[in-house]
Amino acid sequence: MFRATLKSLLARKVRLILSGLAVVLGVMFVSGAFVLTDTLGRSFDAIFADAYEGVDVNVAAKPKIDGSEAEGMPVVAAPVPAATLDKVRAVPGVAEATGVVGVDGARLIGGNGKVVASFGPPQLGENWTGESDLVRLREGRAPQADDEIVINKALATAGKVKVGDRVGVLTLQPKQEFTIVGVFGYSGGRDSIGGANEIMFTTPVAQKLMLGAPDTFSNLSVTAADGVSDEALRDAVAAAVGADFEVKTGTQLSEDAAAGMKEALSFFNRILLGFAAVALLVGTFLILNTFSIIVAQRTRELALMRAVGASGRQIIGSVVLEAVAVGLVASVLGLGAGIGIGALLAYLFSTFAGGLTLAGIGVPLSAVVGAFSVGLVITVVAALLPALRASRIPPIAAMQDVATPDRPLTKVTVAGAIVTAVGGALLALGLTGNAGGNTLATILGGVLFAFIGVALLTPLISRPVVSLLGALFAWSVPGKLGRLNSGRNPRRTAITAAALMVGIALVTGVTVILDSAKSSIGGLAQDSLKAELVIAGAQSGPRPPSFDPAVLEKAAAIPGVRLADGEYGDLAIVGGERTWVAASSDVAALRLIFGAEPTAGDIDRLAPDGMLVSSDTATARGLSVGSKVPVQTSRGEARTYTVTGIYASSQLTNPVVLPAEAASGFAIPQPIQGFIQLAPGTRVADVQPQIEALLADSPEVSVADREAFIEQQTGQLDGLLMMIQILLALAIVIAVLGIINTLALSVLERTRELGLLRAIGLRRAQTMRMITVEAVVISVFGALLGVVVGAGLGAAVVEALRDEGITDLVLPWTQMGIFLGLAAIVGVVAAALPAVRAARINVLGAIAHD
């Protein structure tokens, strides 16, 4: 039986390879995700080990606000007073203690007048503490005067600047001019550590610009005396400085920093695994169809095996063995491809991150286990139903014609209805917020069940829909035959179309959601934002762009300007809860620009000790006018404010508004957005150039009219949609393979029929058109299902997000039409090889074929 199975497998190797390609692509993403995260993880391990190589113990103050850069604001560590440095130096076992300033947020204005951007790595402003085994000057000298800096080689190259150049630098303060007096690098010929851009000032200037206070440091670097272990010194220093400080060894710092980066990298891992799941789901349909067709074609062969003594269990084993062989080959190929794609993505990441030095490409055990587990499980599971069907073939079938009768659809329809109902219930739970803490998992489970349920219901509707679609081609004999062929086996047509449905449905659903979000955001801004000009910049990292607050004062003096408002933002602890807070340079903007209406108190003015809250916040926290609320900002001291006004909540207003004076304690003490309202009759074209001139020293931001600002904000969703569409194209590629495979097997199954058609006068070109019509009908049917299902799921998500501000439902009719048109093209492409093969059939040999 084993030898018979191997011979049968080798006889159909091309067909099985086609189905195995789907598993290869899915396994590629699984193994590639693990290779990528392993390579980058080891790279960051090495980087942070180098960065903290000379640190035995580090002392840092605990941040006032625990947060994450993913929340849109940099995490600010509290400054370490200089007195603490003296205290640490007096600890027994300390050989040397150095005060260090090292804070993200120093941006160099390059030779082209623009800020040197960084997409991920920090932009550090530091104090020069001298050369060491790690840091060496390559050109020039150390900074000595207040207007002198040294920069690392990577930043000098990116900014196209050199020693002697006069450059602008943005920090906690607006643009200031400095002279570059030196360029430094790192041991091993490295231009940076981890792609970071670094600017080093004299210590007093670094304290002023990066910490906002003299005689303070961001951390203390401590070296142990001979014979004193790092751990012993850590404990001694911790006892001396007290509980307000975090004291760690260099090894702990390295491990913590690397762990933080690995946690961030898990985002990429989840994305790749998500698309691997889509690829494997589509691949399951393809493999199921392939084995079903092969089992149907081998009915007489399997019946003969049963007649000569093979048991049903042996027949199942034979089919499963074929699946295992396909899964093993696909896993090996997928693992190899995954190693390649993981290495490529790691290289692209390192290049994008500014020259990250990569560790050697490795293959972790998780990649190997994941590849073979996924490849084998998916293939075997997909082959189980055909295997069970094969085991039920009676020996008497060996003496009958090998026609495969179409079985009733009752069971599959009932199963489809039940699975679809389960999917709908899960989606309802997730989208209405009744899934507890498992909202995402519930929604994903609902989507999965919905897809499978619709796929099971597809045979029920395939015959009438395919007949209707095929009518478009029924004006010729080949068209009529192609129409009949596509509808003769509803199950086969449905499974083939379902593979394409998944990809099209996901793309359509995401497009509906993002287009609806764009329309809602744009409509809200058009209706509610009463500012003709907006000052803003595109955020590319944890720090939003900011600008000089003096711009607002000068803008307010421009003839025709009615109101110039600057908006500051920060994450703060308000009444014991982390909350996004804002400060406004002119609180009247709350009503005049954002259209907020008071529900209690006065919202047109704000005392230095007052605060305004939205109606939703007031209700949720039980606040009213006169309530006292403690507030802790990122840099400032804790302070109690009094609620003096409550305004109606809207999507454009913040939950809490503090006085402008509070912004000095924000993580970024400069406005991150500005809103200019013009007096009636004033033209935007007259004022905008004047605002642009005022922003000459704030190159991170620009001024745009309201329509351009809205387009800029919503344009980020277009980039996200493009990325998702590119990745989901993989599912469509697999679906094309499925159509090719189905048609190829169908042509082989109908060899005698094709020979008879050719014998009674069907020409080669007509034969090719017949196969092409069949492919186009199946492909368009799958796309039509995808468009309908995707639009339905997208509409459900939009409805669930109505309370989050997505109030418009936008169905992308143009894109859906394009999807259907592309499906027809996909059908033509997929039919090419099977059609050529059908046209080349030897007529006499085909007629004699059994």
Side-chain angles (χ1 to χ4, degrees):
M1 194 68 187
F2 179 75
R3 288 195 299 270
T5 301
L6 289 181
K7 288 183 179 180
S8 175
L9 182 64
L10 293 174
R12 295 182 303 281
K13 52 184 178 294
V14 175
R15 296 170 244 166
L16 293 174
I17 287 174
L18 278 175
S19 61
L21 281 177
V23 181
V24 169
L25 293 172
V27 169
M28 177 185 73
F29 272 92
V30 172
S31 55
F34 289 117
V35 169
L36 172 65
T37 50
D38 174 76
T39 300
L40 293 181
R42 287 184 293 105
S43 301
F44 283 113
D45 284 341
I47 287 169
F48 291 120
D50 285 346
Y52 297 110
E53 182 180 2
V55 178
D56 292 336
V57 171
N58 183 80
V59 180
K62 295 179 180 178
K64 297 179 179 181
I65 305 290
D66 289 328
S68 166
E69 291 183 347
E71 295 176 285
M73 275 290 166
V75 178
V76 178
V80 180
T84 306
L85 177 60
D86 296 332
K87 188 182 295 185
V88 170
R89 283 172 173 166
V91 173
V94 172
E96 182 181 0
T98 304
V100 176
V101 177
V103 179
D104 192 3
R107 293 94 70 205
L108 180 79
I109 300 175
N112 59 359
K114 298 181 179 180
V115 172
V116 179
S118 174
F119 299 95
Q123 297 173 295
L124 298 174
E126 303 167 305
N127 64 325
W128 177 259
T129 58
E131 293 184 286
S132 64
D133 293 339
L134 182 64
V135 178
R136 288 290 177 184
L137 281 169
R138 294 186 184 176
E139 304 174 45
R141 58 173 176 83
Q144 299 170 353
D146 288 349
D147 66 341
E148 294 179 345
I149 57 173
V150 295
I151 62 177
N152 66 359
K153 180 63 176 176
L155 180 56
T157 301
K160 298 181 180 179
V161 294
K162 60 184 183 304
V163 171
D165 286 351
R166 192 76 174 168
V167 297
V169 177
L170 304 175
T171 56
L172 289 180
Q173 298 188 12
K175 174 185 172 183
Q176 295 191 22
E177 297 283 338
F178 294 88
T179 300
I180 299 175
V181 297
V183 174
F184 66 92
Y186 291 91
S187 60
R190 292 170 294 174
D191 294 341
S192 71
I193 293 288
N197 294 331
E198 296 174 84
I199 302 174
M200 293 192 178
F201 312 87
T202 61
T203 296
V205 173
Q207 291 170 333
K208 175 185 176 183
L209 298 183
M210 303 309 302
L211 297 173
D215 298 324
T216 56
F217 302 97
S218 58
N219 61 288
L220 309 178
S221 178
V222 185
T223 303
D226 292 340
V228 179
S229 70
D230 293 353
E231 290 73 17
L233 182 60
R234 175 198 60 197
D235 296 340
V237 171
V241 298
D244 292 335
F245 296 88
E246 292 180 338
V247 184
K248 298 181 179 181
T249 65
T251 301
Q252 285 178 306
L253 279 177
S254 175
E255 292 174 350
D256 290 349
M261 288 303 305
K262 289 175 182 177
E263 176 63 27
L265 290 174
S266 65
F267 172 73
F268 294 99
N269 200 29
R270 287 192 289 268
I271 288 178
L272 291 174
L273 291 176
F275 286 104
V278 173
L280 291 169
L281 175 62
V282 178
T284 300
F285 288 117
L286 173 54
I287 296 168
L288 174 62
N289 211 23
T290 300
F291 276 93
S292 295
I293 296 173
I294 289 175
V295 166
Q297 292 175 352
R298 295 173 60 199
T299 300
R300 179 169 290 180
E301 174 189 336
L302 295 172
L304 285 171
M305 289 184 178
R306 293 296 308 278
V308 297
S311 65
R313 182 176 298 179
Q314 287 178 309
I315 295 296
I316 293 175
S318 173
V319 177
V320 170
L321 181 60
E322 291 185 15
V324 169
V326 172
L328 281 174
V329 173
S331 298
V332 171
L333 295 177
L335 177 60
I339 294 171
I341 200 70
L344 175 61
L345 290 174
Y347 170 77
L348 293 175
F349 183 93
S350 68
T351 303
F352 187 71
L356 172 69
T357 301
L358 286 177
I361 302 298
V363 184
L365 180 62
S366 56
V368 178
V369 172
F372 283 95
S373 298
V374 168
L376 284 173
V377 169
I378 291 296
T379 310
V380 171
V381 168
L384 278 179
L385 283 178
L388 290 173
R389 196 174 302 143
S391 67
R392 294 169 183 163
I393 296 175
I396 194 66
M399 297 180 289
Q400 297 174 343
D401 192 12
V402 191
T404 306
D406 201 13
R407 300 186 313 279
L409 299 175
T410 305
K411 292 182 179 179
V412 72
T413 300
V414 171
I418 293 173
V419 174
T420 303
V422 171
L426 290 174
L427 282 172
L429 285 174
L431 296 174
T432 56
N434 295 318
N438 301 311
T439 300
L440 180 60
T442 302
I443 292 175
L444 292 177
V447 170
L448 178 61
F449 274 92
F451 277 139
I452 295 175
V454 172
L456 291 173
L457 290 173
T458 301
L460 182 67
I461 61 173
S462 65
R463 184 166 286 167
V465 176
V466 164
S467 179
L468 183 62
L469 291 173
L472 299 174
F473 305 95
W475 47 269
S476 66
V477 172
K480 291 179 181 178
L481 292 172
R483 172 192 180 187
L484 294 172
N485 288 335
S486 59
R488 66 161 60 177
N489 193 321
R491 279 187 173 81
R492 184 180 303 176
T493 298
I495 294 174
T496 306
L500 185 59
M501 176 201 72
V502 173
I504 298 292
L506 289 173
V507 173
T508 302
V510 171
T511 303
V512 168
I513 296 168
L514 294 184
D515 281 358
S516 299
K518 285 176 57 179
S519 176
S520 301
I521 294 170
L524 175 67
Q526 287 286 2
D527 295 340
S528 305
L529 183 61
K530 299 176 177 63
E532 286 78 12
L533 293 170
V534 180
I535 300 171
Q539 185 169 346
S540 59
R543 181 188 178 90
S546 59
F547 60 95
D548 188 346
V551 170
L552 299 168
E553 297 177 11
K554 297 174 182 178
I558 295 175
V561 172
R562 181 187 180 190
L563 178 64
D565 170 55
E567 292 289 315
Y568 305 75
D570 195 22
L571 275 173
I573 298 178
V574 180
E577 297 182 24
R578 282 163 37 88
T579 304
W580 180 267
V581 300
S584 176
S585 63
D586 191 339
V587 74
L590 199 61
R591 184 201 292 262
L592 298 177
I593 290 180
F594 301 112
E597 293 297 329
T599 60
D602 184 2
I603 68 169
D604 291 325
R605 57 190 60 85
L606 189 58
D609 62 347
M611 66 185 291
L612 307 177
V613 297
S614 68
S615 55
D616 287 348
T617 302
T619 301
R621 302 193 179 196
L623 301 177
S624 60
V625 173
S627 296
K628 305 289 186 179
V629 183
V631 177
Q632 172 66 68
T633 56
S634 293
R635 297 182 188 274
E637 298 300 323
R639 183 173 177 178
T640 299
Y641 291 88
T642 301
V643 177
T644 59
I646 300 173
Y647 51 89
S649 300
S650 77
Q651 296 297 323
L652 290 182
T653 56
N654 290 285
V656 176
V657 177
L658 299 177
E661 294 83 354
S664 61
F666 286 8
I668 300 174
Q670 296 175 22
I672 56 179
Q673 284 186 329
F675 299 92
I676 311 297
Q677 188 180 73
L678 304 182
T682 304
R683 296 194 317 151
V684 170
D686 293 336
V687 177
Q688 186 169 353
Q690 299 180 67
I691 305 293
E692 289 174 349
L694 296 178
L695 293 171
D697 289 339
S698 301
E700 288 183 302
V701 299
S702 60
V703 61
D705 60 40
R706 181 170 51 195
E707 288 70 22
F709 170 71
I710 294 171
E711 185 177 348
Q712 179 191 54
Q713 298 303 304
T714 57
Q716 299 175 13
L717 297 177
D718 291 330
L720 176 62
L721 179 60
M722 179 75 68
M723 180 188 72
I724 293 174
Q725 287 176 338
I726 290 173
L727 291 173
L728 286 176
L730 170 68
I732 297 173
V733 169
I734 297 175
V736 173
L737 292 176
I739 297 172
I740 294 173
N741 207 24
T742 299
L743 290 176
L745 292 169
S746 180
V747 166
L748 183 64
E749 185 179 54
R750 304 195 321 250
T751 300
R752 186 175 185 182
E753 175 187 319
L754 290 170
L756 289 171
L757 288 172
R758 290 291 313 283
I760 62 174
L762 194 68
R763 298 188 299 275
R764 285 188 174 183
Q766 290 177 310
T767 303
M768 295 177 67
R769 287 205 302 273
M770 177 184 69
I771 301 297
T772 301
V773 167
E774 185 176 350
V776 169
V777 169
I778 293 174
S779 182
V780 173
F781 173 53
L784 186 62
L785 278 177
V787 165
V788 172
V789 172
L793 290 175
V797 173
V798 169
E799 178 62 29
L801 295 175
R802 181 171 293 276
D803 292 339
E804 304 299 324
I806 302 181
T807 55
D808 296 346
L809 173 60
V810 177
L811 296 179
W813 296 107
T814 301
Q815 288 93 327
M816 290 191 291
I818 291 173
F819 294 155
L820 293 175
L822 288 176
I825 296 173
V826 163
V828 173
V829 172
L833 290 177
V836 169
R837 181 173 182 178
R840 291 178 176 175
I841 285 179
N842 181 280
V843 177
L844 294 178
I847 293 173
H849 182 78
D850 189 3

